[in-house]
Structures are given as C-alpha cells and as structure tokens.
Amino acid sequence: MTRIESLLRKAIGLDAASIGSSMIQRTVRLRMKQLGLSKTEDYERLLQSSSTALADLIEAVVVTETWFFRDREPFTVFAQMATQWLAQHSAGTLRALSIPCSSGEEPYSLAMALLDVPLLPHRFLIDGVDISQRALERARHAVYGRNSFRGKDLSFRERHFRHTRGGYVLNPIVRQCVHFHQENLLDEGFLANSPPYDFIFCRNLLIYFDRATQVRALEKLHHLLSDDGVLFVGPAELPLVTGHGFVSAQLPMSFACRKMTTPAVTSSPPRSSSRSSVRSKSDTAQRAASPQADAPAAGLPARASTGVHRTPAPPNELEAARQLADAGRHEDAVALCEAHLRRSGPSAQAYYLLGLLSDARGDANASDYYRKALYLEPNHYETLLHMTLLLEKNGDSAGASTLRQRLKRATKQQERTVDQATRVAGGKPA
Ligand SMILES: C[S@@+](CC[C@H](N)C(=O)[O-])C[C@H]1O[C@@H](n2cnc3c(N)ncnc32)[C@H](O)[C@@H]1O
C-alpha cells in the first residue's frame, strides 16, 4: 500500500497523512473491486502502466469539498483591492486565478464579488484550474445543491441563481466570467506560458502536500503572481507560506500574502499591458489595517519607563524594519527591531515583528515574542492573528480558541478601519 501512497505523492503531491492512510486503503480496495482485481500488486502494476487507471484513482482520492464564499472575508478584501486595481489601471484587465477551483464555487464567488461591486465583466478575467476532470464538469455545468451554500448570508443566491427542481442554476453572466482548465499544479509545464495574475486564490490545497511539495507549489505560485499581486491561501496555510517567497499582507482574516523579493526566487513572467502598482494603493489599505505599524514609542505602557535615559528612535524605524523583512533581509530587520527596543524600550510592534521573523524561520522563540507583544498591547491585531495560527499549527487548539475570541473583537475594530480606507479610495463602479 505504501507504494500506492508514493505513486500518489509523486503524481499529485498528496501526503497520505493529510487524509489518512486508512482512507486511501478504502479507496484502493473499492477501485480494485470495481476493476475485478484481488491482488494489490496487480493494481500497482496497472497504476504504473496506465495513466487512465491512475487518473481514476486520483479522482477517487482527492478532496473536492468546497462552497460559495467559503470564509467570506477573503472575497470582501479581494473585491476592495480589485476595485482599487481597476481604478488605477483604467485600460487594464484584471487577471485572477483560482487554483484549485474544484467544482467552481470559489472562482464563481470571485466573479459574483466583482459583479456585486459593481464592476463590469469585460474589466476582469478569472481562470479556474483543478486536476479533477469530474469536479470541472460540475463547475462547467454550474447547477448547485444546498451543500454549496453555507453560512448565514445567502443573499447572493437570490441575485445570481435561479431555483429549479434540479438545483440552483447559476446565471450566464457569472458563468461567462470564468474559464476552466484541467491542470496539475505540480506538472513541469503548469501554466508555463500564462501571463502573471494580479490575484491568486490557492486555498485548501497546500494542506494536502508534504513540506517539499508545498515548497515546489509555492515556487510555481510565486512565478505566476505579478510582482504587485496578492496570493490568498486558506486559514491554516498562512504559516506554511510566509517565509517561502511570501509575506503576510496583514489584512484582517483574509490570509493574504504578497511577494517577498529575494534573489533566490524567480520573478513573475513579463506582461504586456501596463501594470504599475496595485501595491501603492493596497498598501494604503494595509497601513490602514495596521494602525499599530507606526505606533510611537510614547504609546507604551508605564512599565516601559525605567528611568533610564533613552535616545529617541528615528520615526518609522519599525516600518523600515517591516520593509526590510518584506525584502527578505531578515537579519537586518531583526537588528533594526533590537536596536529599536534598546533605544526606545518595550514595544508591542517591535516584538510582533521579531515574532513574525522567528515564525518565518520556524524558530521556537516566535511565541515568546508574540506573548511579549500581547502583554504590552493585549489587542494587537496582527499578533493575535499570528499567535492563533502558531498555536493551531502546534496543536494547541484550546489556546488557539481563546485567542480566536480576542481576535474576533479586534477584527471588528479592524474592519471599521478598512471600511473607512476603502470609502476614502472611492467605491464607484469602474
Ligand atoms: C478542498 S478542494 C479546495 C477548493 C477551493 N480552493 C476551496 O478552498 O474551497 C481541493 C482541490 O484540490 C484539487 N487538487 C489536488 N491536487 C491537485 C494538484 N496537484 N493540482 C491541481 N489541483 C489539485 C482537488 O481536485 C480538489 O478539487
């Protein structure tokens, strides 16, 4: 059986531990029964010699679970950033990729989010990519059952679907916004000739890969994302991504990342249309979303004051440290944060950045830094977010759940700030 697991790992990067060996065994037994085979060795030989047999096993083993507006916040943030992008690129067409798109709920949600802004369909292009032919057939058919609609706010269903006896039929205007392709993210030639994307949604795929495959996948995504682009990953995937060519975009609950420019990672392919900077405007939102980023040392609690005379730190020193971190100059960023602490005394933002840098290295000190930041600023949003993810990654679900409650309260505050920033940027139809 382990030989079949190795075959699956090689073909689609599947880490057997992620779904459980027993699940793979059950699927294999079922496939063998359907094929009238009784010996595992015979099935192994068939899998090695027949691409159809392997494709059928892949179809049976992949987890295609998905639903419309899954996690909600990433779609809200995406629509806001897309609006800004289109306002900046008056003649440009925005390109978005959903990989893996499964049965289409995710890329169609992207399209609905943009149409609801409202943005006109000719201003954007959305590709949906998945390895599963069956899931793609369902995506193209675009008729959905109740399972695809979860959560409380289903108002989009009234706007974009027609209820029939056979299910909810998606309106043609949304369907026409999305183009589907069958591809394996791990293939050598994966979207090799594609121009870069401004936004990539790659959610709930990396969790099924082992570490080496995650790194390979991230290299491909890095190559496909424009230099100013934004990558959205799943809630459990942000810690897997940061430090591997990407840094958190620090947008509330959206699990979005931007490229960290390091010489080790290849840059995105050239694109013919003008594409100056989604970053300049999105940074406005990011800065608004990170009110502590420029927090002055004077905002520290009394315990920071020890009576020792401190030389005032240059303004924006911590912002400079963040930029060094984004540029992959981690050691310089750490040195600047430490110098800042020596000069100005305890600072939640400095400890947060040190935590983030340790986290990116997979260093055990990360939680100590996060704890210090939270001691100084119990509602420090980004620290709460990253500490929650770290606890989840380390299997401390009770600790993560307590922090998640605090995070929810901090999120409400953050959402109000982002809303204000978006209103300032203007939300008219592009
Ligand atoms: C859980 S779904 C995620 C769908 C959607 N992104 C979401 O978050 O709701 C995982 C999908 O990954 C696809 N998949 C697995 N391995 C893949 C690979 N190597 N290349 C492309 N798609 C893959 C599966 O077919 C499945 O549809």
Side-chain angles (χ1 to χ4, degrees):
M1 197 55 77
T2 47
R3 272 202 291 273
I4 295 184
E5 287 179 6
S6 306
L7 257 176
L8 284 170
R9 182 186 295 261
K10 197 166 158 227
I12 58 165
L14 180 67
D15 177 10
S18 69
I19 57 167
S21 289
S22 56
M23 155 82 174
I24 296 182
Q25 278 164 27
R26 270 199 306 279
T27 313
V28 164
R29 275 198 295 274
L30 187 69
R31 287 296 305 137
M32 286 172 59
K33 199 170 162 200
Q34 286 163 347
L35 292 162
L37 294 173
S38 55
K39 288 194 187 141
T40 313
E41 301 79 64
D42 292 341
Y43 186 46
E44 281 170 16
R45 262 195 296 279
L46 180 68
L47 288 175
Q48 263 147 1
S49 59
S50 157
S51 54
T52 316
L54 183 60
D56 286 345
L57 177 63
I58 291 171
E59 286 288 355
V61 98
V62 286
V63 179
T64 55
E65 173 92 349
T66 184
W67 58 93
F68 289 107
F69 289 98
R70 182 175 190 172
D71 304 326
R72 186 58 75 162
E73 286 83 358
F75 298 94
T76 309
V77 169
F78 165 68
Q80 288 168 352
M81 295 181 96
T83 308
Q84 291 161 4
W85 191 98
L86 286 167
Q88 281 189 315
H89 301 77
S90 49
T93 304
L94 178 148
R95 290 172 51 79
L97 170 67
S98 161
I99 160 86
C101 66
S102 186
S103 35
E105 285 88 333
E106 183 175 272
Y108 286 141
S109 299
L110 296 176
M112 285 185 272
L114 296 187
L115 292 171
D116 283 347
V117 169
L119 298 173
L120 298 174
H122 72 270
R123 298 297 318 275
F124 58 90
L125 180 153
I126 299 171
D127 285 326
V129 173
D130 202 282
I131 198 168
S132 165
Q133 193 58 47
R134 265 187 235 155
L136 289 171
E137 272 162 26
R138 294 202 297 279
R140 291 191 181 102
H141 187 51
V143 180
Y144 293 94
R146 291 195 173 281
N147 231 3
S148 296
F149 302 92
R150 305 186 199 178
K152 286 192 194 110
D153 180 9
L154 296 179
S155 52
F156 69 92
R157 195 167 65 183
E158 310 306 315
R159 288 192 295 280
H160 297 291
F161 292 80
R162 193 166 44 84
H163 193 197
T164 67
R165 274 216 225 132
Y168 291 90
V169 181
L170 185 62
N171 288 344
I173 188 149
V174 185
R175 290 180 62 175
Q176 283 156 15
C177 293
V178 183
H179 304 271
F180 292 103
H181 315 267
Q182 190 198 15
E183 297 259 3
N184 180 349
L185 171 63
L186 303 172
D187 275 354
E188 216 35 52
F190 174 73
L191 298 185
N193 299 319
S194 165
Y197 290 93
D198 305 298
F199 297 92
I200 298 182
F201 271 60
C202 181
R203 304 188 311 152
N204 304 304
L205 176 62
L206 298 173
I207 44 171
Y208 296 107
F209 291 164
D210 60 28
R211 195 69 197 121
T213 314
Q214 283 165 357
V215 171
R216 256 172 77 203
L218 287 172
E219 278 169 12
K220 287 180 187 275
L221 294 174
H222 195 279
H223 183 71
L224 275 177
L225 187 67
S226 78
D227 288 339
D228 300 326
V230 180
L231 167 70
F232 291 84
V233 292
E237 292 166 328
L238 195 61
L240 309 175
V241 170
T242 47
H244 285 273
F246 295 94
V247 288
S248 163
Q250 306 199 354
L251 294 165
M253 301 307 286
S254 66
F255 310 102
C257 331
R258 289 184 286 112
K259 272 186 176 183
M260 170 171 78
T261 38
T262 63
V265 189
T266 50
S267 61
S268 57
R271 170 162 152 174
S272 47
S273 65
S274 100
R275 41 190 307 102
S276 50
S277 75
V278 68
R279 185 172 300 171
S280 54
K281 275 216 173 175
S282 65
D283 268 359
T284 314
Q286 284 156 19
R287 271 195 292 276
S290 311
Q292 298 93 337
D294 296 324
L300 290 173
R303 74 186 67 141
S305 164
T306 58
V308 176
H309 173 75
R310 297 185 188 282
T311 315
N316 295 327
E317 192 173 53
L318 292 178
E319 179 55 24
R322 195 186 66 79
Q323 282 168 12
L324 285 170
D326 284 1
R329 292 172 56 192
H330 287 190
E331 281 172 16
D332 294 340
V334 168
L336 197 52
C337 286
E338 285 172 347
H340 182 90
L341 286 169
R342 277 196 301 278
R343 254 196 298 269
S344 308
S347 147
Q349 184 63 18
Y351 284 125
Y352 159 66
L353 283 173
L354 285 169
L356 207 57
L357 288 156
S358 298
D359 213 351
R361 287 197 304 271
D363 186 333
N365 286 339
S367 60
D368 291 344
Y369 287 126
Y370 289 152
R371 273 184 230 285
K372 282 182 186 165
L374 289 177
Y375 177 64
L376 294 165
E377 261 186 53
N379 284 333
H380 192 282
Y381 176 81
E382 290 84 1
T383 308
L384 282 171
L385 177 67
H386 287 275
M387 183 73 182
T388 306
L389 292 167
L390 188 63
L391 291 179
E392 272 170 1
K393 195 168 86 172
N394 294 341
D396 180 357
S397 40
S401 150
T402 308
L403 278 192
R404 206 167 269 290
Q405 293 306 319
R406 282 169 63 181
L407 189 57
K408 264 190 197 150
R409 289 193 291 273
T411 304
K412 287 212 175 83
Q413 174 61 36
Q414 287 285 42
E415 278 170 357
R416 280 196 287 274
T417 320
V418 171
D419 275 358
Q420 278 164 6
T422 308
R423 273 200 295 279
V424 171
K428 288 193 206 112

